Amino acid sequence: YPAIRAEGLTKTYGSGESTVYALRGVSLSVLRGEMVVLLGPSGSGKSTLLNILGGLDSPSAGQVFFDQDELTGFDDRHLTQFRREYVGFVFQFYNLIPSLTARENVALVTEIAREPMTPEQALELVGLGKRMDHFPAQLSGGEQQRVAIARAIAKQPRVLLCDEPTGALDSKTGIVVLEAIARVNRELGTTTMVITHNAAIANMADRILTMGDGQIQRTELNAHPCAPA
Ligand code: ADP
Ligand code: ADP
């Protein structure tokens, strides 16, 4: 069975004449270890989909399965617990604690995780082995985002969900960050989904989904995803 399976996800906001359809019946399966990129114009439902798959938001209708667990059947308490244990999130903004070093920011997560890697292992994996004792203000934007990626993967989540991880970065720095995500996917085998506008990452993905108007409008398979250099 797939790592993530969604069936008929619908999400609406508001009611009556002002109802907004963020998702209109989305179904998908993501295989274990797969790297999937979500493309599509602003407002097409990408964040809504990712948030529902990661248990940050609930659908108006439809189901989400994580391995064999039905996420949409969990109450809030279980959903929060599930998210903490099994889902790694990376957002556009890094949300690092300024008074803590890179290592200490990652250690906040490893101290409470069930089967964490060490902060050092996580930071090495994203290429920050030489920056572990730096504070966020001493790091570039791309380096700060890689600390955020290290923090997200250090608990060894079942899935890594990234919502525009390069949105605040120039395109050259963005590629370095996307390569770090692709390396995590390849070396740890973490099932990964990335929302991005950066076409460069499409070549690193196993599959590219293009969303439009609350639906998946196009699916492309990459037979030979390019490993990052
Ligand atoms: P994308 O990530 O592709 O930009 P979103 O998932 O953020 O798209 O949004 C999909 C649609 O749902 C948009 O029309 C957006 O305005 C609407 N939407 C998203 N979140 C909310 C919300 N909390 N309240 C009302 N409308 C929302
Ligand atoms: P709760 O709000 O139920 O206490 P948490 O805040 O602990 O749950 O969130 C659980 C996971 O989801 C954490 O990994 C956290 O980083 C992530 N998360 C939830 N909401 C956000 C958000 N708005 N921005 C960044 N990370 C978030």
Side-chain angles (χ1 to χ4, degrees):
Y1 43 88
I4 307 173
R5 186 161 64 86
E7 290 289 341
L9 293 181
T10 297
K11 180 71 175 180
T12 57
Y13 292 104
S15 59
E17 281 182 19
S18 60
T19 303
V20 172
Y21 280 82
L23 295 179
R24 302 173 186 265
V26 171
S27 300
L28 86 160
S29 291
V30 181
L31 303 179
R32 203 160 305 163
E34 198 176 16
M35 176 155 165
V36 173
V37 159
L38 273 179
L39 301 175
S42 181
S44 58
K46 304 182 297 296
S47 295
T48 302
L49 177 59
L50 210 72
N51 289 344
I52 290 173
L53 295 180
L56 282 175
D57 201 355
S58 301
S60 307
Q63 296 169 295
V64 175
F65 297 89
F66 239 83
D67 294 322
Q68 284 173 315
D69 298 324
E70 188 190 345
L71 207 63
T72 29
F74 287 0
D75 59 25
D76 283 353
R77 215 176 89 88
H78 284 105
L79 205 56
T80 299
Q81 192 186 348
F82 176 86
R83 212 163 55 212
R84 287 200 177 132
E85 237 171 276
Y86 296 126
V87 187
F89 289 102
V90 176
F91 296 94
Q92 179 170 353
F93 299 104
Y94 327 125
N95 293 314
L96 301 176
I97 296 177
S99 59
L100 300 180
T101 64
R103 190 201 307 263
E104 289 165 346
N105 266 282
V106 178
L108 284 180
V109 172
T110 56
E111 278 160 16
I112 58 169
R114 198 185 288 194
E115 290 179 48
M117 59 179 91
T118 65
E120 291 77 15
Q121 286 172 314
L123 286 161
E124 291 278 2
L125 199 59
V126 297
L128 289 179
K130 296 202 165 74
R131 296 278 188 278
M132 296 199 267
D133 295 311
H134 286 54
F135 291 92
Q138 299 173 307
L139 298 171
S140 70
E143 289 171 334
Q144 290 183 58
Q145 184 62 300
R146 283 186 282 150
V147 176
I149 294 166
R151 179 182 56 188
I153 61 166
K155 64 183 172 184
Q156 308 227 50
R158 288 200 215 163
V159 302
L160 176 63
L161 303 178
C162 309
D163 191 344
E164 300 213 28
T166 65
L169 303 170
D170 65 67
S171 63
K172 209 172 131 200
T173 309
I175 288 172
V176 176
V177 166
L178 295 172
E179 284 174 345
I181 292 168
R183 190 176 313 123
V184 166
N185 168 259
R186 202 177 62 236
E187 294 192 10
L188 300 182
T190 310
T191 307
T192 301
M193 294 185 76
V194 186
I195 294 175
T196 185
H197 292 291
N198 194 319
I201 200 179
N203 297 322
M204 303 177 199
D206 297 301
R207 192 149 49 113
I208 301 153
L209 304 178
T210 306
M211 292 195 67
D213 197 23
Q215 293 177 311
I216 295 171
Q217 294 191 325
R218 194 173 140 99
T219 298
E220 294 159 87
L221 280 175
N222 228 350
H224 302 289
C226 300

